[in-house]
Amino acid sequence: MSNQRFKAIASSHTRTEINVEDFGRRSEYFGMNVFNEERMLQYLTKDAYDRVKAAVVSGVKIDRKVADQVAEGMKTWAISMGATHYTHWFQPLTGTTAEKHDAFFDFSPEGRVMEKFGGGQLVQQESDASSFPNGGIRNTFEARGYTAWDPTSPAFLYGTTLCIPTVFVAYTGEALDNKAPLLRALNAMDEAATTVAKFFDKNVSKVYATLGWEQEYFLIDKSLAFSRPDISLAGRTLVGQSAAKGQQLDDHYFGVIPNRVLNFMKDLEKECTKLGIPVKTRHNEVAPNQFELAPIFEETNLAVDHNLLLMDVMEKIADKHFFKVLFHEKPFRGINGSGKHNNWSLSTDTGVNLLSPGSTPMKNLQFLTFFVNTIKAVDNYEELLRSSIASAGNDHRLGANEAPPAILSIFIGEQLNEVLNELEGVTKGKLSPEEKTELKLNVVGKIPEILLDNTDRNRTSPFAFTGNKFEMRGVGSKSNCAKPMMVLNTIVAKQLMAFKKEVDQLVDKKGLKKDEAIFNVLREYIKTSKRIRFEGDGYSEIWENEAKSRGLSNNKNTPKALQVLTSKESLALFKSMNVMSEIEVRVRQEVELEEYILHIQIEGRVFNELAYSYIIPAAVEYQNKLIKNVVGLKEIYGAAHKKMSESQLDIVERISEHIRAIKIKTDAMVDERKKANNMSDINKKAFAYCDNVRPYFDEIRYHCDKLEQLVGDEYWPLTKYRELLFIK
């Protein structure tokens, strides 16, 4: 039975490295497979180029005539690069991407073969929407959906296919993807942040939300990974005794990258460079066989597209190098899981980072304005922001092995806390000349100096300020960044609108000067959002109790976390910001609950297979070996055998106890799964899987892992942690 395991180990030891040559200067071919500005200038007329740029910057609609010109230019370029097909590349609510390829091929009216791709095919395509998650708003016989071109994210060539980033909507107009709500949220952010930025610089006409993600992942030899049914079907190890050595020596973190992995990374970076993904940083992570890749910051919509494309490219390149890349948030128990830290900031079209202090008190007041408003927004909607990172996989990761807890809090550092505490004491109403001078010179004016030395980091903080950006650390490695970025940009945009209104009222009705009004409003925000700021250990039980007393949510599982989506406050928020309608919000809640149910259901089925087809048979086989040994000793030594076989019989009994426990608990888990499956209410069903089915997983695992310690190594059928994590 264990043949598959040992064949996999043997196969992993005979791998021949695929050497990848260093590819020279990236600047020479960065974006060579992207229909970017350089290609547009080459293949489009000036009018078409100007119209596309206007659509990207200002959202100006592209008419059919211009669309035809753009399509012709795209087609000519793509075919010259070897393309044979095109596709609308979109993000359904599966969390991944989807595509349907069509050839540049048609017949003319005269029957001649021709390459065809026009504005109609570029701008809009009809797609079957029935088989994608839709939250029950579409029946199978109402299958029509549409994909529509997103000109803000450039088309790219992937293999021999021209990929056109698009939104995906139902026939009735509701968004059935993650991109459309994100674009709406980014538009709301642009409008709200621009009006506030004009307080400080009248020349600002646009504000971009930027994103820099950090993609963590595990690389496991392909043979080893596929020898495990749980990794193949659930993406993680459902059973497995921890190896004697894990990450406790900290010898993997930032260590020398193994040659085989380095060749994978080189190959990956080469493809990413061609696709315009600005990957920059690579290194070993904390856990064995865990790594990280990070890019340069980009506009958020483009960064999201690039991350989704990256994950697809990673899987293909990993397969080429005989690896399996694991994106699951917690593929191995007892060591660090994988996150996707989302580094978020705001930049103006004048080149200013709004979350970075400047050289003058006024620029620092601008920084404080966006800094404090972000804190206030997170405080107002901390439970909603928590819901945006909820998933079955992330439930295992949050609150364990350096990952942030499920409680949302903000870390800003001791020095910035002192600045906010001083601002909290600002006089209400008009400021005296002395107070103005004190604030501008000795409080606000010293912020750059404070940040220069404030390099300390709190690794357990879910939302931390790190110098010129906020880092959202709870996002799972498998997640689509569009979800947390949609929520974050929506709530900050909402807060900035409220701030602008309050400042204007103080100026117009109270006669305060602009900077006085700003200080007054910020003072109140600092007071009312104080509960969300926390500088300590996010794991401690003391903090959990304190967070509860502060009124902060602690939704430790996905079904609980997702309930806030359909609260009156959440529905009103998304509607008022024109980000999502009530139907679109309810669709997402139902889809995510269904996804959670299916993940737990699949894991339950895999547990059943592991118990009955792998672990119990292996344990029984080894038990029979021991019994045969005892019988042999009895035949040779008679009554004297008892002392010699005492240890063997003890192991036989312990194996029987664990086998019995596994059977009882597995059967009970299956019964609970059947009960849950009969429930029609999606919320009740999700909670049933969470509260009644999932707890059995840990209980079954306990006994399986005990058997792994008892059963002889040559009998154990599942590839062990020491092999999965330490075979390079």
Side-chain angles (χ1 to χ4, degrees):
M1 184 189 298
S2 57
N3 281 345
Q4 185 180 7
R5 172 188 163 207
F6 290 111
K7 285 179 180 177
I9 294 170
S11 177
S12 70
H13 283 308
T14 59
R15 298 291 186 208
T16 301
E17 284 184 20
I18 299 175
N19 289 315
V20 178
E21 297 296 327
D22 289 323
F23 46 93
R25 298 176 63 178
R26 297 189 185 191
S27 58
E28 293 177 357
Y29 61 96
F30 179 77
M32 65 180 291
N33 288 344
V34 182
F35 195 70
N36 52 23
E37 284 194 39
E38 183 182 341
R39 307 281 144 30
M40 286 195 290
L41 285 168
Q42 184 179 356
Y43 287 91
L44 301 184
T45 64
K46 186 178 185 306
D47 178 57
Y49 171 81
D50 290 341
R51 293 298 295 273
V52 173
K53 289 293 291 180
V56 172
V57 175
S58 307
V60 176
K61 189 174 181 180
I62 296 175
D63 60 37
R64 179 58 182 270
K65 181 181 177 182
V66 172
D68 283 336
Q69 293 178 31
V70 176
E72 181 61 31
M74 272 190 192
K75 182 192 73 174
T76 303
W77 168 75
I79 291 175
S80 74
M81 295 288 289
T84 58
H85 290 71
Y86 65 91
T87 183
H88 275 200
W89 186 79
F90 59 102
Q91 305 171 28
L93 298 176
T94 56
T96 56
T97 60
E99 53 197 61
K100 180 186 74 172
H101 298 193
D102 285 304
F104 291 118
F105 175 83
D106 208 341
F107 289 107
S108 69
E110 297 79 23
R112 290 195 300 270
V113 175
M114 59 183 291
E115 281 85 21
K116 184 179 179 182
F117 180 64
Q121 288 86 15
L122 169 64
V123 172
Q124 182 174 299
Q125 292 272 286
E126 185 177 324
S127 177
D128 183 349
S130 62
S131 295
F132 289 111
N134 56 58
I137 65 168
R138 308 292 292 146
N139 295 312
T140 302
F141 60 86
E142 299 173 316
R144 186 176 295 174
Y146 294 105
T147 51
W149 177 34
D150 169 22
T152 65
S153 185
F156 57 91
L157 194 64
Y158 193 24
T160 58
T161 304
L162 174 67
C163 299
I164 303 157
T166 58
V167 297
F168 181 43
V169 297
Y171 176 69
T172 47
E174 294 89 6
L176 292 176
D177 69 345
N178 289 298
K179 180 184 272 282
L182 174 64
L183 289 172
R184 296 170 191 162
L186 294 173
N187 182 63
M189 171 59 79
D190 173 25
E191 293 179 359
T194 298
T195 59
V196 174
K198 283 183 179 293
F199 279 153
F200 308 96
D201 183 357
K202 298 294 184 183
N203 295 317
V204 174
S205 58
K206 190 171 183 65
V207 172
Y208 300 91
T210 61
L211 169 64
W213 37 261
E214 302 169 26
Q215 182 68 60
E216 294 178 336
Y217 60 97
F218 282 85
L219 275 183
I220 307 299
D221 183 88
K222 187 162 64 172
S223 294
L224 298 179
F226 287 126
S227 72
R228 296 275 310 218
D230 45 2
I231 292 179
S232 299
L233 299 176
R236 73 180 181 104
T237 55
L238 298 178
V239 299
Q241 178 64 31
S242 296
K245 178 180 184 292
Q247 64 187 45
Q248 63 266 48
L249 296 179
D250 296 322
D251 53 345
H252 190 257
Y253 191 48
F254 282 15
V256 176
I257 300 172
N259 284 339
R260 191 175 159 205
V261 174
L262 189 59
N263 280 313
F264 157 79
M265 290 177 169
K266 288 180 181 179
D267 215 349
L268 174 63
E269 289 176 358
K270 186 175 182 179
E271 292 304 310
C272 286
T273 301
K274 292 178 181 178
L275 289 165
I277 305 173
V279 293
K280 184 176 177 67
T281 303
R282 65 190 187 198
H283 62 82
N284 290 1
E285 256 300 332
V286 174
N289 276 352
Q290 186 187 32
F291 308 93
E292 181 179 298
L293 177 72
I296 296 171
F297 279 52
E298 297 181 283
E299 184 276 325
T300 298
N301 177 48
L302 182 58
V304 168
D305 284 0
H306 278 166
N307 181 250
L308 291 169
L309 178 58
L310 170 94
M311 290 195 287
D312 185 55
V313 175
M314 285 178 77
E315 290 184 329
K316 288 181 169 62
I317 300 295
D319 188 66
K320 175 182 171 182
H321 288 261
F322 302 100
F323 282 122
K324 171 70 175 173
V325 59
L326 303 184
F327 290 118
H328 194 285
E329 287 80 3
K330 195 74 171 177
F332 302 101
R333 174 182 277 189
I335 59 175
N336 280 14
S338 295
K340 181 151 49 190
H341 297 184
N342 279 206
N343 295 279
W344 172 88
S345 194
L346 297 170
S347 294
T348 69
D349 57 346
T350 58
V352 175
N353 181 344
L354 295 171
L355 286 172
S356 182
S359 56
T360 66
M362 184 55 74
K363 289 180 179 178
N364 293 329
L365 185 56
Q366 174 180 266
F367 156 74
L368 277 173
T369 294
F370 287 92
F371 178 70
V372 172
N373 272 280
T374 300
I375 294 173
K376 176 65 173 170
V378 174
D379 178 62
N380 288 344
Y381 294 100
E382 48 89 15
E383 193 170 12
L384 183 62
L385 196 58
R386 160 67 181 99
S387 75
S388 72
I389 60 172
S391 70
N394 218 17
D395 283 356
H396 294 284
R397 168 179 167 262
L398 295 177
N401 298 97
E402 291 191 359
I407 305 168
L408 250 293
S409 64
I410 298 178
F411 171 84
I412 63 173
E414 183 180 345
Q415 292 90 340
L416 278 176
N417 256 315
E418 290 178 5
V419 170
L420 296 194
N421 290 338
E422 288 195 56
L423 290 173
E424 192 177 337
V426 171
T427 303
K428 187 174 182 180
K430 291 186 177 181
L431 307 178
S432 67
E434 293 79 14
E435 190 170 22
K436 269 193 177 184
T437 301
E438 168 68 19
L439 282 171
K440 290 184 177 180
L441 294 181
N442 298 324
V443 180
V444 177
K446 290 186 177 180
I447 289 175
E449 299 170 25
I450 289 170
L451 289 180
L452 188 65
D453 297 321
N454 185 20
T455 56
D456 192 24
R457 300 181 70 185
N458 184 330
R459 295 179 67 88
T460 63
S461 175
F463 201 85
F465 183 70
T466 55
N468 60 359
K469 61 189 183 297
F470 280 99
E471 185 176 11
M472 190 173 176
R473 295 179 178 150
V475 184
S477 55
K478 196 176 180 180
S479 295
N480 184 336
C481 301
K483 291 195 291 184
M485 286 298 100
M486 179 271 290
V487 172
L488 180 59
N489 283 284
T490 300
I491 63 177
V492 175
K494 178 73 171 178
Q495 178 54 45
L496 288 171
M497 289 171 61
F499 172 79
K500 172 72 163 55
K501 185 177 180 180
E502 289 186 54
V503 170
D504 286 346
Q505 286 179 340
L506 289 178
V507 172
D508 297 340
K509 296 182 179 179
K510 300 290 185 180
L512 269 63
K513 292 183 178 180
K514 183 178 65 178
D515 54 351
E516 289 178 327
I518 290 172
F519 275 124
N520 271 258
V521 176
L522 291 181
R523 178 199 61 213
E524 294 305 313
Y525 288 173
I526 291 166
K527 289 179 181 178
T528 56
S529 63
K530 204 166 187 176
R531 65 167 190 161
I532 200 73
R533 285 154 45 201
F534 176 64
E535 303 297 304
D537 180 7
Y539 294 147
S540 70
E541 188 176 336
I542 295 174
W543 164 236
E544 192 166 323
N545 292 331
E546 184 181 336
K548 185 177 180 180
S549 69
R550 293 187 186 189
L552 296 173
S553 66
N554 186 11
N555 298 326
K556 294 184 177 181
N557 61 65
T558 293
K560 178 66 175 172
L562 293 177
Q563 297 308 301
V564 71
L565 281 175
T566 48
S567 68
K568 289 181 180 179
E569 293 78 12
S570 297
L571 293 174
L573 166 73
F574 290 124
K575 183 179 180 181
S576 68
M577 300 302 291
N578 296 314
V579 171
M580 286 191 289
S581 66
E582 181 173 338
I583 291 175
E584 289 172 322
V585 177
R586 292 189 181 280
V587 161
R588 277 153 182 76
Q589 183 188 58
E590 184 160 336
V591 166
E592 292 187 40
L593 286 170
E594 182 68 22
E595 181 185 21
Y596 176 85
I597 290 166
L598 293 174
H599 274 292
I600 305 301
Q601 185 183 81
I602 289 168
E603 290 188 351
R605 289 174 174 172
V606 174
F607 255 119
N608 196 65
E609 181 183 356
L610 290 175
Y612 280 103
S613 300
Y614 287 79
I615 293 169
I616 291 177
V620 169
E621 185 181 2
Y622 182 66
Q623 191 180 48
N624 287 338
K625 177 83 170 178
L626 292 174
I627 292 170
K628 187 177 179 180
N629 175 259
V630 172
V631 171
L633 289 171
K634 185 177 181 182
E635 288 176 356
I636 296 172
Y637 296 103
H641 85 285
K642 290 183 180 179
K643 199 168 186 179
M644 289 183 276
S645 60
E646 184 179 351
S647 296
Q648 294 92 316
L649 289 171
D650 177 63
I651 295 173
V652 167
E653 289 176 13
R654 287 160 66 189
I655 288 174
S656 291
E657 290 170 2
H658 290 304
I659 289 174
R660 182 173 181 274
I662 289 170
K663 183 185 183 305
I664 290 172
K665 293 181 184 300
T666 300
D667 290 348
M669 179 264 291
V670 171
D671 288 340
E672 289 296 338
R673 215 172 65 225
K674 289 177 179 177
K675 291 178 187 176
N677 289 340
N678 289 327
M679 296 178 179
S680 57
D681 184 280
I682 191 76
N683 275 292
K684 290 180 180 179
K685 190 173 182 178
F687 276 107
Y689 263 96
C690 180
D691 298 334
N692 303 333
V693 176
R694 187 176 161 184
Y696 279 107
F697 293 179
D698 285 340
E699 296 177 21
I700 297 168
R701 179 174 190 150
Y702 170 81
H703 295 285
C704 291
D705 291 354
K706 287 297 182 183
L707 283 179
E708 184 180 333
Q709 292 178 296
L710 292 171
V711 172
D713 185 66
E714 69 273 22
Y715 290 86
W716 194 251
L718 299 172
T719 309
K720 295 187 175 184
Y721 268 34
R722 69 167 186 263
E723 295 146 1
L724 291 167
L725 292 172
F726 291 98
I727 293 179
K728 303 298 182 184

